[in-house]
Amino acid sequence: MLIDTKYDPSEIEGKWLQYWLDKGFFKSTPDEREPFTIVMPPPNVTGQLHLGHTLNNTLQDILIRKARLQGKNACWVPGTDHASIATENKVIEMLAEKGINKKDLSRDEFLKYAWEWKEKYGGIILSQLKRLGASCDWDRTAFTMDDNQYQSVIKVFVDLYNKGHIYKGVRMVNWDPMRQTALSDEEVYYKEVNSKLYHVQYQVEGTADFITVATTRPETILGDSAICVHPEDDRYLHLKGKKAIVPLVNRVIPIIFDDYVDKEFGTGALKVTPAHDENDYKLGMKHNLEIIDILNADGTLNEKAQLFVGKDRFAARKLIAQSLEEGGQMVKVEEIRNKVSCSERSHAVVEPKLSMQWFCKMKDLAEPALKVVLEEELKFHPKNAVNTYRHWLENINDWCISRQLWWGQRIPAFYFGTGVNDFVVAETAEKALLIAREKSGNVNLEIADLKQDEDVVDTWFSSWLWPTAVFNGINDPGNADVKYYYPTNVLVTGQDIIFFWVARMIMAGLEYEHEIPFKDVYFTGMVRDKQGRKMSKSLGNSPDLFEIFDKYGVDGVRVGVLFSSPAGGDLIFDEKQCEQGRNFANKIWNALRLIKGLEITETESTEHNAVFEWFENKMSESLVKINDAFDKYRISDALLETYRLIWDEFCAWYLELVKPEFGQPIARNVLEKTIQYFEELMILLHPFMPFITEEIWQKLGERKAGESIMLLKWSSKKSNNVLVLQQGEIMKDLVTGIRNVRNQNNLSPKESLEVKIKTPQRENYAVFEHLVRKLANVSTLEYVLEKVADAKSFLVKTDEVFIPLEVNAEDERERMLKELEYNKGFLISVEKKLSNERFVQNANPQVIDAERKKKADAEAKIKMLEEGLAGM
RNA sequence: GGGAGCUUAGCUCAGCUGGUUCAGAGCAUCUGCCUUACAAGCAGAGGGUCAUAGGUUCGAAUCCUAUAGCUCCCA
């Protein structure tokens, strides 16, 4: 019936995926059951499935599938993020290929192209997630730019504006001159580069004196409005009240004193350019300095620079250095390594730039968000992420939420005049008009007179509403879905977006639902290759996932990814681990082949009752460990325990114990038990390997249409018979010991052996006796009171086992002496401990008892060995 | 510069409130087996001064301090 000894997942996976989708097993609607909810971190709509998603979504799927098996109403909401900058870049690239320049398009025309692009490519990653087996309620698929989400964002913007959290202002922002947009602090990364530190002389006005400053950005000299030195710096005290002359442009600027300056750094004198440096800006505000912005939006110099107008900032830098050199004002040029900030989107060097932007005040939002985490109402796994979180929230800056882009939610601010305050904020133009008429006092204002802000909000300003907005909680507060599913149970995401996203979702959740958005956050690590390098396009070390799916099966890859990522650490990807997953699938497949290949006899058998008892206890024992690992979000530990239970206990021991001899039939009752256990094991494994477990379960019995392993129940067994577990271990030790003797003596497994056991507790062996005979090919098994001469021996716990064989007395003697020596040494260390008064006084009584038992055991072994040696 | 973390077998990591024969697992390696479920397998074996140096303790991989190396986050 089942021919191939190799499991072939290719057709099976597609078949069951379609079946699950057709039957609607992933769907969820509110009912009386306990909900278990996860909202998927929405991948960029531009994205393709990579290993990071695979890890992340496999973990979520495992949690969701387990909850579903536990009878909870599991709901996993999928979706994509419109990713304003990333997508806009893609669309611009696409247009460029067609020979179209964004600048030649109107906003509406551009957005039309963008939506077309989204419709065409935006579904790719979702279908890839389906292939992974992600059991999302696909009917709930959300997109951060769909109507509901768009309206939610606008509503929240207006609300926060009205509450005074959102304001418009001129601030120093990170400016990306290539994309010509502001970036949030989080979208900037720092790159270490070789650069030059220029030491430039400024003449002190009316003297022949010079003051030297050091700068890496000499072009900003043109925007200087002061020189600053430390008020206690003896070198410069005489310059109090003096002015300096800016080289090249000969502007006269004040020399100011502020303890912000580090006396030790460079020359101790700092040039202050308030328009082009965050710290200089602060100094400028404090000392009321002129702000001279010398850069255009595209990074070229403007008229305020006076020189090199129209030149790019980097070209200007060289030209200015040259001019200073020629004018004799360059004291020296040093080679240094420093860090420059770059845009995550365009990788261009970011300019600190003064710009009119929209901001969201964070302090009031941050406080409650910090509290719920510190008080563990909301738990982080691993725990140490709390430190990072706290540090950020305690030092939080206002959030620059405007972006000079088109693809995104357009800021709902409407301008009715040219004055700084001639605008209103409202959800629609109609509403804006009413307010604008009032504010302006001009009752004749019409919608046509209003001009909406050109900017959109930061992408994260939509995704921070995700856990609420996917249930329409912002537009329809308190609706049945949001009441049932919110707060969600767990968020699974990367540590890298703890600030961008996690912290802000907590803020938004508390602000709009007055409740945390999720109870637990499981942070995954970073994805690296075998050499520990980050996966990146430029390194080309990102494997082709679909090739790997084909090669090892999706189940195999899911297992491989988990094995590569122990307990939430970094994912160090190695294909080898997928091979292990595939081999595991094959092992299970062959267990099925064994069971399906057996002939059945109706004769009832009782000889395996002890085995059933033992295996049921073994499963319970593992179940406790598995559940515990799940509770602690140690998902790969849960998998490893399941793997061991199935491979080592079920396949290697249980099946071998119940397997009839070759050609013999199996008793129906034994087969039924076996199938029952196999089914239970498949349920435990299902969250990890959904496809093969469905296939096996379907094949294990007669199934009706519409049945599925997904609809079964997670075991809640709790047998705990310690004795039978111990007897099982004794049985294994005995079998292993006999096999060892065979191995060491080059005896074929076909040659049966006599075994004699010297034990005061025969009952420990009795229950499994007949099985040991079979597993270890034992001809006679008997119990003895005395040592057996001319035999190989080994220990099972403290019992001695003898196998009569030709023995080399000298070898045996040596082995025993070695063992004796070891035990004597061990005894000494135990006795030392026990004779130490302070140990006996201070140690826990249980520990002392354990030590006494160790002592007794060691003494017994020593006695036995000594007797044995004496008898030789 | 500030913060967090890591360093245990060849590799990836467990080791929870110090105390079982505590030095572990999986993979890899080696040896022997095509033993009729499975060579994608079976039966075995070897392999580590728990980064280094101090300290606390009756007792330290585990707690403390310093040093070195690595990683991440923030400025």
Side-chain angles (χ1 to χ4, degrees):
Chain A
M1 53 189 335
L2 298 157
I3 314 133
D4 203 349
T5 61
K6 301 274 187 287
Y7 170 63
D8 175 13
S10 56
E11 281 178 27
I12 287 167
E13 291 179 346
K15 177 181 71 180
W16 292 121
L17 175 62
Q18 200 51 53
Y19 179 75
W20 296 330
L21 290 169
D22 289 347
K23 299 288 174 196
F25 291 151
F26 302 161
K27 288 185 188 167
S28 169
T29 47
D31 60 21
E32 69 294 339
R33 288 175 296 165
E34 184 190 337
F36 184 91
T37 317
I38 297 182
V39 290
M40 174 188 291
N44 282 1
V45 70
T46 55
Q48 298 270 345
L49 192 72
H50 58 60
L51 276 164
H53 300 125
T54 305
L55 170 65
N56 202 37
N57 288 287
T58 298
L59 287 166
Q60 292 175 69
D61 193 47
I62 289 165
L63 296 171
I64 278 284
R65 284 180 186 269
K66 183 189 177 238
R68 202 180 276 125
L69 290 169
Q70 286 176 307
K72 294 178 189 166
N73 185 347
C75 181
W76 184 11
V77 183
T80 47
D81 190 302
H82 68 284
S84 57
I85 298 183
T87 308
E88 189 148 332
N89 280 349
K90 290 263 180 187
V91 176
I92 288 170
E93 276 168 30
M94 182 267 288
L95 290 172
E97 277 168 28
K98 292 186 181 178
I100 303 172
N101 192 327
K102 182 188 165 190
K103 281 182 187 143
D104 301 332
L105 296 176
S106 71
R107 185 182 191 109
D108 286 346
E109 284 167 338
F110 178 81
L111 287 176
K112 202 165 152 259
Y113 280 116
W115 277 106
E116 271 172 22
W117 191 92
K118 186 261 170 188
E119 293 310 322
K120 197 163 169 196
Y121 301 106
I124 292 178
I125 189 150
L126 296 178
S127 61
Q128 291 172 328
L129 283 167
K130 280 183 191 162
R131 165 123 195 236
L132 185 65
S135 60
C136 304
D137 184 348
W138 295 102
D139 292 347
R140 292 181 179 272
T141 302
F143 176 51
T144 53
M145 274 275 276
D146 61 26
D147 284 349
N148 163 34
Q149 307 275 325
Y150 199 110
Q151 288 316 315
S152 302
V153 168
I154 300 304
K155 197 170 165 190
V156 164
F157 188 100
V158 173
D159 180 64
L160 288 177
Y161 177 78
N162 290 336
K163 284 177 181 161
H165 283 107
I166 287 182
Y167 64 94
K168 207 181 169 193
V170 174
R171 287 288 182 280
M172 190 63 75
V173 297
N174 304 298
W175 183 258
D176 179 341
M178 196 183 290
R179 291 282 172 247
Q180 302 197 25
T181 178
L183 302 171
S184 71
D185 292 343
E186 287 74 21
E187 285 164 321
V188 172
Y189 68 95
Y190 297 87
K191 196 168 77 177
E192 200 163 319
V193 294
N194 291 319
S195 47
K196 294 186 167 74
L197 186 63
Y198 301 91
H199 294 250
V200 183
Q201 278 186 337
Y202 288 51
Q203 188 168 20
V204 179
E205 190 192 29
T207 72
D209 238 7
F210 286 95
I211 185 165
T212 303
V213 301
T215 178
T216 52
R217 298 165 61 208
E219 69 279 12
T220 62
I221 286 172
L222 305 175
D224 280 350
S225 42
I227 298 279
C228 188
V229 293
H230 196 279
E232 284 157 23
D233 193 332
D234 298 337
R235 292 172 292 182
Y236 300 114
L237 283 180
H238 65 285
L239 295 176
K240 208 149 212 168
K242 293 273 188 343
K243 290 180 191 283
I245 300 167
V246 179
L248 307 179
V249 289
N250 299 323
R251 184 170 49 245
V252 178
I253 55 172
I255 295 170
I256 59 171
F257 292 75
D258 196 292
D259 58 14
Y260 163 76
V261 178
D262 180 358
K263 283 194 286 187
E264 310 304 321
F265 186 83
T267 60
L270 182 77
K271 65 189 246 355
V272 185
T273 320
H276 297 289
D277 183 275
E278 173 83 48
N279 293 314
D280 289 11
Y281 178 72
K282 284 181 192 154
L283 266 180
M285 295 307 276
K286 190 170 163 188
H287 293 272
N288 215 1
L289 298 174
E290 192 185 353
I291 294 168
I292 306 161
D293 185 348
I294 60 161
L295 287 178
N296 290 314
D298 63 358
T300 56
L301 271 56
N302 63 24
E303 318 73 56
K304 291 205 185 127
Q306 299 179 46
L307 295 172
F308 310 118
V309 176
K311 296 274 188 219
D312 181 75
R313 53 194 165 140
F314 297 115
R317 180 175 300 173
K318 281 187 188 145
L319 292 167
I320 285 175
Q322 207 183 327
S323 303
L324 290 168
E325 205 78 62
E326 286 161 9
Q329 281 148 314
M330 187 74 82
V331 179
K332 64 171 172 179
V333 181
E334 259 179 283
E335 296 287 335
I336 59 160
R337 268 189 90 69
N338 75 335
K339 287 179 181 173
V340 298
S341 31
C342 299
S343 163
E344 259 190 355
R345 308 299 174 177
S346 69
H347 305 288
V349 174
V350 164
E351 282 295 329
K353 182 173 161 47
L354 279 175
S355 151
M356 181 67 88
Q357 300 288 343
W358 292 89
F359 291 87
C360 184
K361 286 185 199 162
M362 298 307 271
K363 222 172 158 20
D364 294 346
L365 294 171
E367 261 170 44
L370 181 56
K371 191 162 167 261
V372 293
V373 172
L374 290 183
E375 289 176 0
E376 294 199 337
E377 189 188 330
L378 194 161
K379 293 197 189 76
F380 283 0
H381 309 269
K383 234 178 169 169
N384 58 30
V386 172
N387 293 324
T388 317
Y389 181 80
R390 180 171 63 193
H391 189 257
W392 188 68
L393 284 181
E394 283 175 349
N395 298 288
I396 197 159
N397 293 318
D398 287 355
W399 176 14
C400 175
I401 53 172
S402 44
R403 294 291 181 277
Q404 289 65 52
L405 301 166
W406 283 343
W407 179 243
Q409 292 87 1
R410 190 167 178 182
I411 288 175
F414 297 85
Y415 300 85
F416 54 81
T418 50
V420 190
N421 289 314
D422 291 350
F423 68 89
V424 296
V425 170
E427 285 172 44
T428 61
E430 289 74 23
K431 286 186 189 170
L433 182 63
L434 297 178
I435 314 172
R437 280 178 178 163
E438 198 176 317
K439 190 171 174 184
S440 65
N442 176 0
V443 290
N444 298 322
L445 270 183
E446 289 304 328
I447 285 190
D449 301 325
L450 297 181
K451 205 168 156 287
Q452 188 175 353
D453 201 297
E454 289 293 330
D455 292 354
V456 299
V457 291
D458 181 12
T459 297
W460 301 103
F461 196 86
S462 58
S463 38
W464 73 328
L465 306 176
W466 191 244
T468 320
V470 294
F471 299 116
N472 210 7
I474 301 285
N475 295 325
D476 184 10
N479 73 70
D481 269 6
V482 79
K483 258 160 82 182
Y484 183 73
Y485 293 115
Y486 191 98
T488 68
N489 290 74
V490 54
L491 175 77
V492 180
T493 191
Q495 269 170 14
D496 48 338
I497 52 177
I498 185 167
F499 309 130
F500 284 105
W501 196 44
V502 180
R504 289 173 185 159
M505 275 194 287
I506 297 171
M507 294 177 198
L510 291 172
E511 181 74 14
Y512 289 99
E513 295 297 332
H514 311 292
E515 236 182 321
I516 50 173
F518 22 73
K519 293 166 194 135
D520 292 281
V521 181
Y522 177 93
F523 287 110
T524 58
M526 206 174 306
V527 179
R528 298 164 180 285
D529 69 4
K530 228 193 312 190
Q531 287 134 54
R533 301 174 305 178
K534 274 192 199 179
M535 290 283 181
S536 75
K537 275 187 198 147
S538 53
L539 276 173
N541 56 354
S542 241
D544 181 338
L545 259 180
F546 294 90
E547 232 167 68
I548 292 182
F549 283 163
D550 292 341
K551 205 162 155 196
Y552 303 104
V554 171
D555 283 330
V557 177
R558 288 169 62 117
V559 165
V561 160
L562 278 183
F563 276 145
S564 310
S565 176
D570 282 357
L571 180 136
I572 297 170
F573 186 75
D574 184 351
E575 261 191 58
K576 199 85 203 166
Q577 315 266 25
C578 296
E579 199 179 310
Q580 197 185 341
R582 180 199 61 178
N583 293 357
F584 183 41
N586 200 50
K587 184 73 187 177
I588 298 166
W589 180 251
N590 277 290
L592 178 75
R593 288 181 67 238
L594 168 66
I595 287 169
K596 297 304 278 185
L598 293 170
E599 296 294 322
I600 302 167
T601 169
E602 296 302 331
T603 324
E604 172 125 353
S605 157
T606 55
E607 75 171 320
H608 296 98
N609 288 356
V611 181
F612 301 151
E613 172 91 15
W614 166 74
F615 192 68
E616 278 170 29
N617 275 281
K618 207 71 207 176
M619 280 204 285
S620 296
E621 190 186 45
S622 283
L623 187 65
V624 169
K625 289 184 193 164
I626 293 165
N627 283 332
D628 183 56
F630 268 110
D631 289 345
K632 292 177 178 155
Y633 290 97
R634 301 184 64 117
I635 310 298
S636 57
D637 284 359
L639 170 60
L640 193 58
E641 181 60 29
T642 311
Y643 176 92
R644 275 190 196 130
L645 176 64
I646 293 174
W647 196 311
D648 297 346
E649 305 300 343
F650 184 68
C651 293
W653 288 104
Y654 175 87
L655 286 179
E656 292 300 329
L657 285 165
V658 301
K659 186 166 86 176
E661 310 225 356
F662 179 63
Q664 298 297 307
I666 189 165
R668 181 173 295 282
N669 67 313
V670 175
L671 180 65
E672 277 169 2
K673 274 282 184 201
T674 303
I675 288 175
Q676 179 200 322
Y677 298 148
F678 204 171
E679 286 179 6
E680 285 176 29
L681 292 170
M682 289 305 96
I683 296 171
L684 292 182
L685 184 63
H686 177 75
F688 305 99
M689 303 179 90
F691 298 102
I692 190 174
T693 50
E694 179 79 281
E695 175 72 10
I696 299 279
W697 183 81
Q698 296 279 352
K699 283 203 152 62
L700 275 174
E702 293 294 315
R703 308 298 179 202
K704 299 190 198 79
E707 285 190 310
S708 165
I709 192 170
M710 284 187 61
L711 305 176
L712 304 181
K713 288 282 161 293
W714 188 260
S715 171
S716 55
K717 263 195 202 153
K718 281 189 200 85
S719 25
N720 186 20
N721 183 340
V722 178
L723 183 64
V724 78
L725 286 172
Q726 280 172 356
Q727 288 171 341
E729 292 313 304
I730 287 172
M731 176 267 297
K732 289 184 188 172
D733 284 354
L734 180 58
V735 170
T736 305
I738 297 168
R739 284 175 179 163
N740 260 332
V741 169
R742 220 186 268 284
N743 238 313
Q744 282 159 11
N745 295 281
N746 292 319
L747 297 173
S748 153
K750 287 174 182 148
E751 198 169 330
S752 60
L753 299 173
E754 281 176 55
V755 172
K756 297 174 197 294
I757 305 169
K758 181 168 167 285
T759 176
Q761 285 172 297
R762 270 186 202 201
E763 62 276 13
N764 277 342
Y765 296 86
V767 285
F768 291 111
E769 196 183 299
H770 59 291
L771 297 165
V772 169
R773 286 172 199 267
K774 189 179 86 179
L775 286 188
N777 191 11
V778 171
S779 56
T780 61
L781 191 150
E782 51 190 87
Y783 300 95
V784 294
L785 296 170
E786 295 302 325
K787 285 189 58 66
V788 177
D790 296 328
K792 289 278 179 186
S793 67
F794 60 90
L795 289 172
V796 172
K797 308 284 183 245
T798 53
D799 299 336
E800 216 167 349
V801 178
F802 301 94
I803 298 176
L805 280 176
E806 289 285 321
V807 291
N808 179 331
E810 209 34 59
D811 288 354
E812 191 66 5
R813 205 181 137 74
E814 210 169 289
R815 185 187 64 79
M816 287 170 84
L817 276 171
K818 227 169 140 186
E819 206 166 327
L820 181 66
E821 199 183 336
Y822 175 82
N823 276 289
K824 278 185 168 168
F826 178 67
L827 180 65
I828 289 169
S829 77
V830 176
E831 279 177 335
K832 216 172 174 180
K833 228 186 249 186
L834 281 168
S835 63
N836 183 332
E837 270 178 49
R838 299 172 75 176
F839 171 69
V840 181
Q841 272 169 19
N842 299 329
N844 184 320
Q846 283 169 346
V847 173
I848 297 173
D849 279 353
E851 291 297 320
R852 295 218 165 101
K853 172 132 195 337
K854 276 197 263 177
K855 185 182 171 205
D857 283 357
E859 281 169 345
K861 281 186 191 173
I862 288 167
K863 186 166 167 252
M864 206 153 55
L865 288 162
E866 279 174 341
E867 280 171 9
L869 284 162
M872 286 182 85

